[in-house]
Amino acid sequence: MSFKLVNIWNPKGGQGKSMIAVNLAAAAVEIKLKPLVICQDPQGTATLYHQGGKLPFDVVSKVPDEKPDANLVIIDHQASDWEVPKGKIILMPVKPARSQYKTYADAKKRAEAQGKQVITVVTDTSHQRADEIATAKRLIEKGAFEIPSSGVFSRADSDLVSIFDPSMDRAYKVKERRREFLQILGAIFTGMLEEEGGMKDVA
Ligand SMILES: Nc1ncnc2c1ncn2[C@@H]1O[C@H](COP(=O)(O)OP(=O)(O)OP(=O)(O)O)[C@@H](O)[C@H]1O
Ligand SMILES: [Mg+2]
């Protein structure tokens, strides 16, 4: 089976990397793909969710030697990892607060200098803060996706489920949030090349 690979990367902590890894994989299950999440940090969030036992996909903490039994591989990088990931597509979440932005901008420059295709996802935008709204707007104009600040993520977090879990069906605005993940998934698949060979070649 050939597979597609998405690295979720931003050296700044708390930007939404793990939140996106878990929910993007869950979105993939919705459209009948077989995702695998690689959680770089053995004590990381995605691993913790996996241990909760309610995710409809696997999470491993090591890059498999062989071709994975999956057609979408999502690598959830840990904070402070400044090494530009291998693989062609890098998804970078960023919270629009000014204090968070610089790391994203520096890391994105590094990735683009290496010819990577960077997909930006603005996360957790507060609709009360004018500066955050302005930063989010500027990024969206340049092609970024947005996952606005939403209570569904803390609710899902307390149950260690994705927002696609049936228990979340009646959560406030969950349909909007699910749609955003499906759109991001669609975009990363458009024109995206498949990686051949073993994981060691790309991760
Ligand atoms: N759109 C959003 N609405 C509400 N909360 C959000 C949103 N995006 C992210 N969060 C919250 O922000 C927190 C940090 O997210 P997450 O753990 O995914 O970040 P991370 O980049 O993986 O952090 P680390 O680098 O420490 O691994 C989590 O509590 C997550 O639920
Ligand atoms: Mg994380």
Side-chain angles (χ1 to χ4, degrees):
M1 202 191 292
S2 57
F3 62 96
K4 307 209 184 213
L5 175 72
V6 182
N7 281 279
I8 304 189
W9 182 63
N10 182 339
K12 184 91 186 165
Q15 300 301 293
K17 294 182 289 292
S18 301
M19 182 280 284
I20 291 180
V22 165
N23 289 302
L24 200 61
V29 172
E30 291 291 306
I31 60 166
K32 312 286 179 224
L33 292 170
K34 186 159 192 220
L36 172 71
V37 172
I38 300 176
C39 180
Q40 209 190 26
D41 174 1
Q43 253 104 56
T45 309
T47 303
L48 192 72
Y49 271 66
H50 182 59
Q51 288 163 351
K54 294 184 205 161
L55 295 182
F57 52 85
D58 250 356
V59 179
V60 296
S61 55
K62 263 183 38 206
V63 173
D65 292 329
E66 301 298 321
K67 263 191 197 178
D69 178 27
N71 47 26
L72 174 67
V73 175
I74 297 171
I75 305 186
D76 179 15
H77 288 259
Q78 59 192 0
S80 306
D81 173 8
W82 270 98
E83 193 181 331
V84 175
K86 294 182 199 165
K88 303 173 187 82
I89 302 241
I90 301 178
L91 190 156
M92 296 190 68
V94 58
K95 293 193 180 179
R98 202 163 290 148
S99 58
Q100 316 282 300
Y101 188 80
K102 189 178 181 311
T103 305
Y104 155 79
D106 291 349
K108 178 168 183 273
K109 232 179 253 168
R110 281 197 195 197
E112 285 176 343
Q114 293 189 22
K116 305 296 178 183
Q117 187 186 336
V118 174
I119 295 173
T120 298
V121 181
V122 190
T123 53
D124 207 9
T125 324
S126 153
H127 287 281
Q128 265 85 56
R129 296 196 49 128
D131 57 329
E132 293 193 14
I133 296 168
T135 303
K137 187 163 173 271
R138 193 157 41 80
L139 288 167
I140 291 161
E141 278 165 6
K142 287 196 278 180
F145 291 87
E146 186 188 27
I147 301 170
S149 187
S150 169
V152 295
F153 298 108
S154 52
R155 187 169 152 188
D157 193 56
S158 60
D159 286 346
L160 303 178
V161 295
S162 85
I163 65 163
F164 289 87
D165 192 86
S167 66
M168 296 291 296
D169 281 355
R170 293 162 70 131
Y172 180 64
K173 291 212 170 169
V174 73
K175 282 200 184 79
E176 282 88 335
R177 301 292 85 81
R178 288 173 175 174
R179 199 180 313 128
E180 287 151 9
F181 279 98
L182 289 163
Q183 277 166 356
I184 294 169
L185 197 57
I188 50 192
F189 268 79
T190 307
M192 183 172 166
L193 297 173
E194 297 193 334
E195 313 274 356
E196 296 287 343
M199 282 300 298
K200 289 286 184 233
D201 300 324
V202 289

